[in-house]
Amino acid sequence: MTTQFQPKDETLRRIYSLTEKDMKECAAHLMIGGGTRGGPVLHHGKGVRVWDANGREYIDCTSQSWALYLGYCNQEIWGAINEHAQNMTHVHQGFDTLPRFALARRLAGIMPPGMSRVSFVPTSGLALEGCMKLALKNRPGSSHFMCLWDSYHGATLGTMGASWISTRSAGSYAGGSRFVPMTRQFVRAPNPYCYRCPFGLKSGSCNLMCARMLELTIQKGVNGPPAGLLIEPLQASGGQICFPKRYVEEVREICTKYEVPLIFDEIQTFARIGKWTAAEYFGVTPDFIGLGKAIGGGMPLGVTVVRDGLHGFEPDAEELHTFANNSLSQIGSLKMIDMIERDKLLDHVNRMGAYLNEGLLKLRREFPEMGDIRQVGLHIGVEFVKDPEGKEPLNDAAKRIRDEAMNRGAIFGLAGVRKNLLKVKPPLIVSQAECDEILRIFGETLRAVLR
Ligand SMILES: Cc1ncc(COP(=O)(O)O)c(C=O)c1O
């Protein structure tokens, strides 16, 4: 093996001495419901880098499902978690603890003004379901939720019906479509995907047709008052699509006009876009925010945030989960937030994002197949096309580029809906020298695959 890791614990020692043959046997017992299998077996990581069981090194531009903001095995985060684990670990949510108090106040301090109450759950999907529960509670008599085309909000039974995986968005029905009898139908409105406007209009002179369609859908497409509109203000899995500011503002106005609770899914946008929230970035305050993924500093955690003046949860079995009060995740979150602030990482994210964008734009001079580069902070996607005018998607290229880059030591993410899109979303601590390395491998890979 390729690490200095010499565990003292007997169970750990057994795990870290598994052979290739053992791994094959183990794999036969394992079911995986998503992601691509058959890639490297990851063994250990540090900062933005990870090594596989054969000792190969990769620079990771996925932050492992965009969840490791401060990189692998961050010593300060895990130091705090380890220290706290000697004192307290999991607690029933009926008991208060100091970390839970501290995190509630800390989060209230970085959420948009007027959004000062939070509820903790074990995962992102549950955080959104918490938003949906509160939307229903605040909009009695409503029944149907709305979302946007190509959105992704999770694969729990409550969120799957809002995710593109339940539709034909990617060209054929995907996994979520098999569970329709158990999931809910969300009423969808068009997403503002300006690079390929579904109405054939041009950004700037379109009168925001997608906002008009949202309003018409509320008026004519939903039975009864909508229970809520769930949106990612920057769509991630749907194609790294940054919505126009005016569109997000109009969504707020429309929701207010029709009394539709507005839910922001900020599970990928939190801090990654160079502001604490997309709400702050757009200057638009929703009624609910769902946080997840990186929010636990690498530990599982979801957070439901509610606007002041709205009904929140009461201890009446409205929101009850065994692991809703995991103090280790809360410590991970608190430590990460402290470090983002202390190290001015939001500014760093904006600088590194702009630097990567500039490097990608330079590469586009050589590779016009990079049809659209969409970047806000370190929330970056590159959409590949046959030619920039025709914009015909280069569908299999993105996967070949992803695979070739992996051979060359960089891990990029493949988008969900759009098969021609690669995601570049390294941990927030990525340095300029590491950005240069990412751009170098990206360029070499494009030369190998496209030329
Ligand atoms: C925007 C967004 N919302 C919700 C989810 C669901 O998160 P989880 O799989 O952690 O429940 C994801 C996961 O990819 C996501 O990207």
Side-chain angles (χ1 to χ4, degrees):
M1 284 297 162
T2 56
T3 172
Q4 303 304 314
F5 188 47
Q6 303 285 351
K8 293 190 210 64
D9 178 85
E10 172 55 30
T11 302
L12 280 178
R13 272 213 304 278
R14 257 203 328 272
I15 294 168
Y16 276 86
S17 54
L18 287 180
T19 62
E20 291 269 345
K21 181 169 167 283
D22 290 325
M23 287 191 241
K24 272 212 179 85
E25 273 175 32
C26 295
H29 297 286
L30 192 59
M31 294 187 287
I32 311 252
T36 28
R37 220 171 155 186
V41 176
L42 299 186
H43 186 274
H44 61 282
K46 191 78 206 140
V48 299
R49 292 173 203 279
V50 63
W51 286 260
D52 70 18
N54 296 318
R56 292 196 60 185
E57 178 183 318
Y58 307 85
I59 190 160
D60 186 353
C61 299
T62 69
S63 313
Q64 293 305 312
S65 217
W66 341 112
L68 294 179
Y69 275 3
L70 303 193
Y72 290 85
C73 302
N74 186 291
Q75 260 183 354
E76 284 187 79
I77 292 187
W78 291 98
I81 292 173
N82 277 337
E83 189 173 347
H84 192 260
Q86 317 306 313
N87 191 56
M88 179 67 90
T89 53
H90 151 70
V91 179
H92 183 281
Q93 74 177 67
F95 294 96
D96 279 319
T97 60
L98 301 183
R100 188 168 70 172
F101 277 146
L103 183 57
R105 186 172 64 180
R106 190 76 168 95
L107 284 170
I110 58 175
M111 287 298 108
M115 299 196 75
S116 68
R117 283 167 302 153
V118 302
S119 147
F120 298 119
V121 283
T123 65
S124 334
L126 285 177
L128 292 178
E129 290 188 5
C131 294
M132 289 162 63
K133 285 180 181 175
L134 288 182
L136 275 172
K137 194 174 165 183
N138 280 279
R139 192 68 168 99
S142 65
S143 170
H144 300 290
F145 279 95
M146 301 181 69
C147 66
L148 299 184
W149 292 358
D150 295 344
S151 61
Y152 184 86
H153 298 290
T156 62
L157 290 176
T159 57
M160 204 170 217
S163 296
W164 64 264
I165 51 173
S166 297
T167 69
R168 275 187 69 100
S169 258
S172 58
Y173 284 111
S177 63
R178 281 164 221 139
F179 309 113
V180 169
M182 291 177 78
T183 57
R184 287 180 66 83
Q185 173 70 50
F186 281 68
V187 178
R188 288 174 168 83
N191 54 338
Y193 177 28
C194 302
Y195 184 61
R196 297 176 192 279
C197 174
F199 307 108
L201 298 172
K202 283 227 155 25
S203 174
S205 59
C206 63
N207 191 26
L208 285 174
M209 179 61 90
C210 37
R212 306 284 74 74
M213 290 300 293
L214 172 68
E215 184 162 9
L216 285 168
T217 308
I218 292 172
Q219 288 172 351
K220 298 170 189 283
V222 189
N223 295 344
L229 171 68
L230 174 57
I231 67 167
E232 298 162 83
L234 281 88
Q235 273 187 341
S237 171
Q240 296 295 123
I241 298 171
C242 319
F243 292 173
K245 179 171 161 55
R246 187 65 205 132
Y247 170 79
V248 181
E249 288 167 348
E250 285 214 17
V251 167
R252 175 67 275 184
E253 287 160 20
I254 292 167
C255 285
T256 304
K257 178 172 168 191
Y258 292 93
E259 297 178 66
V260 179
L262 177 60
I263 306 170
F264 276 6
D265 174 341
E266 297 245 19
I267 280 153
Q268 291 222 30
T269 45
F270 173 78
R272 176 166 286 285
I273 60 168
K275 294 272 185 210
W276 285 118
T277 58
E280 184 186 345
Y281 177 82
F282 287 112
V284 169
T285 305
D287 299 302
F288 306 97
I289 291 179
L291 301 170
K293 286 197 188 281
I295 193 70
M299 293 284 285
L301 181 66
V303 187
T304 299
V305 190
V306 56
R307 190 162 63 75
D308 298 350
L310 296 177
H311 296 298
F313 286 121
E314 307 299 330
D316 178 27
E318 291 182 336
E319 183 73 320
L320 191 58
H321 304 280
T322 302
F323 284 106
N325 192 7
N326 185 335
S327 63
L328 298 183
S329 302
Q330 294 156 4
I331 294 293
S333 184
L334 278 160
K335 190 73 204 173
M336 178 187 74
I337 293 169
D338 279 354
M339 291 172 69
I340 290 177
E341 209 162 68
R342 181 196 70 194
D343 299 340
K344 301 191 171 35
L345 281 180
L346 296 179
D347 294 342
H348 179 77
V349 162
N350 284 318
R351 272 200 310 279
M352 291 305 104
Y355 189 77
L356 279 170
N357 192 40
E358 202 180 304
L360 290 169
L361 285 169
K362 262 190 214 145
L363 272 176
R364 182 157 73 172
R365 288 189 216 138
E366 188 182 343
F367 300 102
E369 293 95 333
M370 296 165 72
D372 201 20
I373 300 166
R374 300 192 274 270
Q375 173 263 335
V376 180
L378 287 170
H379 197 285
I380 306 173
V382 181
E383 181 160 346
F384 289 93
V385 291
K386 287 197 177 140
D387 72 277
E389 279 78 39
K391 295 187 185 175
E392 196 183 327
L394 251 185
N395 267 346
D396 62 336
K399 185 173 180 315
R400 284 190 287 128
I401 294 164
R402 200 275 309 256
D403 293 348
E404 179 61 25
M406 187 102 82
N407 289 335
R408 291 166 182 266
I411 309 178
F412 294 104
L414 266 182
V417 177
R418 264 156 260 292
K419 295 187 167 46
N420 64 333
L421 190 125
L422 272 192
K423 301 192 247 186
V424 188
K425 298 160 89 172
L428 312 192
I429 52 167
V430 69
S431 68
Q432 189 164 316
E434 286 158 347
C435 289
D436 286 332
E437 190 180 338
I438 292 166
L439 290 166
R440 177 181 57 74
I441 299 178
F442 202 84
E444 287 169 4
T445 304
L446 294 188
R447 253 159 243 132
V449 174
L450 297 177
R451 296 291 174 265

